[in-house]
Amino acid sequence: SLRTKESVVDVLIIGAGPAGLMAANAFVKAGISVRIIDKRSKKVEVGQADGIQPRTLEVLKSYGIAERLVQEGNRIYLSSFYDPSPEGGLKLSGRAAANTKLSQKGRYPYSVTFHQGLIEDILIDSIHKEGLEVDRSLQPTAIELNENENEIESDESYPIKVFLRSLDSAVGENDTEVVKAKYVLGSDGAHSWVRKELGITMDGEHSNYVWGVVDTVPSTNFPDIRNRCLIHSLEGSMMIIPREHDVVRLYTQLSDEDAQEVIDVKGRVDLTKWGPERLLEICKTQLQPYEITFPHEIRWWALYIIGQRVASAFSKHGRVFIAGDACHTHSPKAGQGMNASMNDSHNLAWKLAYVLRGWADRKLLETYEFERRKYAKDLIDFDRKWAKLFSGKPRTEQNKDGVSHEEMFKAYETFGGFTSGTGIQYAPSLITNTTFQHLASELAIGTRMPPQTIIRAADARSFELQDLLPSDTRFKILIFAGDLHVETQKSALEDLVMAATSEAGFLTKYGSRGRKDSGWATVFDILTILVDAKEKVDYTTVPEALRPHWSKIFIDDEAISECRGGNAYKNFGISHNGVVVVVRPDGYVGMIAPLDGTEDINKYFAGFMKLVTVKN
Ligand code: FAD
């Protein structure tokens, strides 16, 4: 017999891969009512994506969940480039920092590699602690979105109905469920059911590359087996990714002829045609004159087809969203898959939380597609250029038009900020205002707040600035107040406090949510960073209204015996006249204003925030 139950939730997430789990983690930590379902009965155990880039590490750290990856994962510091040697076989053309110059300024000067299963584990453990589980063996069969404008725009409405069917025979396959939701996130992978139901098309090339990948523990005399390698051989191109313990991932792009052999009439890879042994044979040939054998079990292998495509839209009516592989697919060469996916969710989560709490206007949600679709398109452009260089025949005496090491290396350097994630810059929008960029010339508005050591004034303890910007959904107001021993700076700071806390000031207008006496601390966190020295500073000179706690006042000075810190103003290009830096809840610089620019900050928040309605 058919039994139907009904349930209600604010956000329903369909698909518990990296994108879905990241979103679930952010929502549950933000106290949002959320449910996450997946059709699989268990998570990925081995294989699939395996690279976590420096920016993603920073993001995971901001949620307090990077530690296990950093400790247990493999770290890649160097990339090695191999090209054909005139004497035959391969030669080492050069080695370079795996995350290039940009991210060396970054917090993590390495990528971490570990199979996708661990990353999913970390996120699953994290949501578990908050009392949320993945609802498995559940598949959606239909989605209905009420397109009536009032329904779409109302904060109270639940305009979406998703019909679920259990795939678990113990529960009974006849059981169905109707979930009423305010918002739905489709993080259901490259073949996204949600995307198809919404009628969203994928734009881009339909030519597909076939990649072969094997995870195993090899035995070899190749000296770069523990570095990331880009190998251009006369026998084709391959990539080596060192992994946790002694595991190594070998990637090879199939030649057109080989690709023909493994693709069936429907254009899908037929895994019965080839085994991993065939891939290992190819790798052996490409690596000559070095020897490599495979005495251990194959942990995971795959042949998979990738098109370079971006979804034509990332949402329907700002009610149903898609994220991750559902929005973009590309080759694994730059190791972006999981990173792009998790960062989509990181971008969306705080925006949706603000709207659901009634703090922000729904137009804030439009910035998700604006920012992440542009990023996805850039990613695909990059992937195309990189794929061309990577798959091109190497330059040799006989083939002068081939790809040279210099070309490859230059592209590698150019794209470094992009692939490490630390160089990503969101364009001007409602939440990214570049008017006062000149006041902090080295702190690009729209990029993530870079790492910097600062010293707490009260006790001279050193802190990494990024650790003071957790993903707790609050805006961080960084007041670089200059030197308070200078009378004009002191009065400029006092004026700022007066303006920001006045009736018309942003702290009052958008800060005190809920009860009148709750203050602005639910929405804003304020850190003051002074020009001063440990031996001279007196944190009590900062007006009390700006220091709910002694721990919020810092100085730009060197850490005691740590060889770090100092030069924050210089590194950001900020003069001793000071500035205010508004950091968005996702860690990106949203705006910069002069100390007397409260009016501009008020306007920035007026662009998307709703006025506080005080409940006494
Ligand atoms: P996914 O990880 O695909 O997660 C989607 C989730 O949604 C899955 O758990 C799935 O079960 C669930 N789901 C799908 N449809 C439904 C539905 N209708 N109802 C309910 N749940 C549903 N990337 C690399 O960088 N390197 C690699 O070597 C690599 N190899 C890969 C090999 C394979 C076989 C696959 C499939 C992917 C590979 N990728 C690789 C890509 C990488 O795994 C993705 O970029 C990354 O996992 C994207 O995360 P996601 O959460 O968007 O999607």
Side-chain angles (χ1 to χ4, degrees):
S1 67
L2 195 72
R3 284 169 301 176
T4 302
K5 64 175 187 195
E6 275 193 15
S7 61
V8 178
V9 74
D10 281 358
V11 184
L12 174 68
I13 301 173
I14 300 174
L21 289 169
M22 187 79 176
N25 182 56
F27 286 130
V28 75
K29 284 196 166 161
I32 300 293
S33 127
V34 56
R35 178 154 173 215
I36 177 165
I37 65 158
D38 201 291
K39 67 179 180 187
R40 287 188 305 203
S41 60
K42 51 186 193 318
K43 72 171 183 70
V44 166
E45 291 298 337
V46 289
Q48 298 202 14
D50 62 0
I52 295 290
Q53 306 303 348
R55 175 58 193 155
T56 311
L57 285 175
E58 290 177 359
V59 171
L60 292 171
K61 174 91 174 140
S62 76
Y63 288 97
I65 51 175
E67 212 44 41
R68 228 176 116 192
L69 266 179
V70 168
Q71 292 311 324
E72 294 179 32
N74 177 68
R75 297 181 191 178
I76 301 183
Y77 288 92
L78 273 183
S79 288
S80 305
F81 297 81
Y82 278 81
D83 291 286
S85 155
E87 289 87 49
L90 295 175
K91 70 165 183 8
L92 173 67
S93 298
R95 292 187 182 133
N99 288 292
T100 74
K101 292 175 195 147
L102 242 171
S103 72
Q104 283 174 13
K105 271 206 270 174
R107 173 130 197 220
Y108 299 96
Y110 50 81
S111 309
V112 165
T113 52
F114 213 111
H115 65 78
Q116 193 169 320
L118 177 81
I119 287 133
E120 294 191 8
D121 257 347
I122 289 173
L123 287 161
I124 289 169
D125 284 352
S126 179
I127 62 170
H128 184 77
K129 280 193 196 124
E130 306 286 335
L132 181 68
E133 304 282 345
V134 178
D135 249 330
R136 297 200 174 274
S137 303
L138 274 182
Q139 192 173 23
T141 53
I143 181 166
E144 286 174 13
L145 173 61
N146 186 335
E147 301 191 48
N148 175 298
E149 204 183 319
N150 292 338
E151 285 286 312
I152 293 287
E153 291 310 323
S154 159
D155 279 349
E156 275 70 49
S157 69
Y158 290 81
I160 314 157
K161 271 187 192 163
V162 179
F163 297 80
L164 302 179
R165 182 171 69 100
S166 169
L167 302 175
D168 182 352
S169 48
V171 175
E173 290 187 22
N174 286 335
D175 277 17
T176 58
E177 181 181 347
V178 189
V179 184
K180 283 168 74 184
K182 286 186 171 172
Y183 292 90
V184 167
L185 178 63
S187 44
D188 50 349
H191 303 287
S192 173
W193 173 86
V194 175
R195 185 186 69 223
K196 285 177 203 148
E197 288 295 303
L198 300 181
I200 296 175
T201 54
M202 289 297 269
D203 298 342
E205 269 177 48
H206 284 260
S207 66
N208 291 309
Y209 296 109
V210 181
W211 281 78
V213 47
V214 185
D215 294 349
T216 187
V217 177
S219 169
T220 183
N221 61 359
F222 181 62
D224 277 88
I225 197 72
R226 296 309 299 179
N227 288 324
R228 179 165 80 187
C229 298
L230 300 163
I231 297 168
H232 241 158
S233 86
L234 293 172
E235 309 295 331
S237 303
M238 73 179 279
M239 221 164 60
I240 294 177
I241 310 281
R243 280 258 306 271
E244 70 276 8
H245 313 305
D246 294 331
V247 179
V248 171
R249 170 167 286 192
L250 302 163
Y251 269 116
T252 179
Q253 188 178 337
L254 267 56
S255 67
D256 292 345
E257 302 84 71
D258 285 347
Q260 289 307 321
E261 243 183 74
V262 298
I263 294 178
D264 68 14
V265 282
K266 288 190 178 140
R268 287 180 309 213
V269 173
D270 182 350
L271 285 179
T272 61
K273 293 267 173 64
W274 272 34
E277 295 74 23
R278 184 86 179 258
L279 290 173
L280 293 176
E281 278 311 309
I282 296 178
C283 293
K284 256 185 176 168
T285 325
Q286 291 174 340
L287 212 58
Q288 278 168 5
Y290 300 100
E291 282 166 22
I292 186 164
T293 57
F294 306 101
H296 299 282
E297 57 163 339
I298 288 161
R299 304 280 176 104
W300 181 75
W301 77 282
L303 278 173
Y304 68 107
I305 299 189
I306 322 152
Q308 294 163 316
R309 291 191 272 274
V310 184
S312 53
F314 281 22
S315 102
K316 183 112 184 198
H317 297 307
R319 283 286 176 177
V320 185
F321 292 87
I322 51 175
D325 275 15
C327 303
H328 37 71
T329 59
H330 39 81
S331 84
K333 279 182 297 297
Q336 298 298 303
M338 232 181 343
N339 297 276
S341 301
M342 291 196 277
N343 282 297
D344 284 346
S345 300
H346 177 57
N347 183 286
L348 177 65
W350 71 270
K351 298 172 182 174
L352 211 43
Y354 269 49
V355 171
L356 281 165
R357 289 173 184 162
W359 292 2
D361 194 277
R362 276 180 28 83
K363 68 187 171 194
L364 175 62
L365 300 175
E366 291 165 17
T367 64
Y368 166 64
E369 174 168 323
F370 175 78
E371 296 186 330
R372 294 308 292 175
R373 185 153 184 273
K374 160 87 169 43
Y375 164 73
K377 279 162 73 183
D378 290 349
L379 177 58
I380 306 271
D381 278 351
F382 153 73
D383 194 45
R384 255 187 221 132
K385 287 183 194 142
W386 192 235
K388 221 166 156 185
L389 290 175
F390 192 76
S391 318
K393 291 252 179 291
R395 183 172 297 181
T396 55
E397 276 301 311
Q398 291 73 33
N399 178 19
K400 293 226 158 45
D401 294 334
V403 179
S404 70
H405 168 63
E406 288 69 32
E407 261 180 278
M408 190 84 184
F409 191 70
K410 192 161 165 251
Y412 176 78
E413 292 257 284
T414 311
F415 295 129
F418 193 74
T419 52
S420 65
T422 54
I424 289 164
Q425 184 168 20
Y426 296 134
S429 72
L430 199 64
I431 49 172
T432 308
N433 181 326
T434 53
T435 313
F436 293 106
Q437 178 65 76
H438 58 281
L439 296 180
S441 54
E442 304 300 316
L443 184 58
I445 298 169
T447 64
R448 62 79 159 104
M449 193 68 199
Q452 168 70 44
T453 300
I454 52 176
I455 311 299
R456 193 158 62 188
D459 61 356
R461 179 169 167 174
S462 70
F463 281 84
E464 168 45 58
L465 175 53
Q466 284 192 345
D467 286 343
L468 304 169
L469 314 173
S471 287
D472 59 2
T473 77
R474 291 192 292 177
F475 273 87
K476 315 298 183 302
I477 310 293
L478 309 184
I479 303 179
F480 289 84
D483 182 350
L484 296 192
H485 301 290
V486 177
E487 208 40 56
T488 46
Q489 286 308 117
K490 197 159 180 257
S491 56
L493 184 62
E494 280 159 4
D495 292 349
L496 167 69
V497 177
M498 289 274 287
T501 56
S502 73
E503 281 291 302
F506 64 95
L507 291 180
T508 316
K509 274 176 105 170
Y510 310 110
S512 24
R513 301 286 156 184
R515 293 180 56 82
K516 194 172 186 164
D517 54 10
S518 72
W520 37 258
T522 37
V523 183
F524 299 106
D525 193 17
I526 303 182
L527 307 175
T528 305
I529 302 156
L530 306 173
V531 172
D532 214 328
K534 299 178 277 289
E535 298 77 11
K536 298 201 175 121
V537 67
D538 171 358
Y539 76 88
T540 64
T541 51
V542 172
E544 259 178 70
L546 278 193
R547 49 181 172 89
H549 196 251
W550 56 268
S551 63
K552 301 288 178 182
I553 315 300
F554 296 84
I555 53 171
D556 181 11
D557 200 358
E558 285 171 14
I560 293 174
S561 296
E562 284 181 50
C563 301
R564 61 193 193 117
N567 288 328
Y569 279 65
K570 182 163 165 259
N571 293 343
F572 299 148
I574 296 173
S575 84
H576 284 191
N577 293 335
V579 291
V580 180
V581 176
V582 177
V583 182
R584 304 171 1 177
D586 56 359
Y588 286 73
V589 180
M591 93 166 295
I592 288 172
L595 291 188
D596 63 359
T598 304
E599 200 39 47
D600 297 283
I601 307 178
N602 293 346
K603 272 193 205 134
Y604 170 83
F605 285 108
F608 58 92
M609 292 289 278
K610 289 185 178 174
L611 288 177
V612 170
T613 41
V614 177
K615 294 185 203 113
N616 279 312

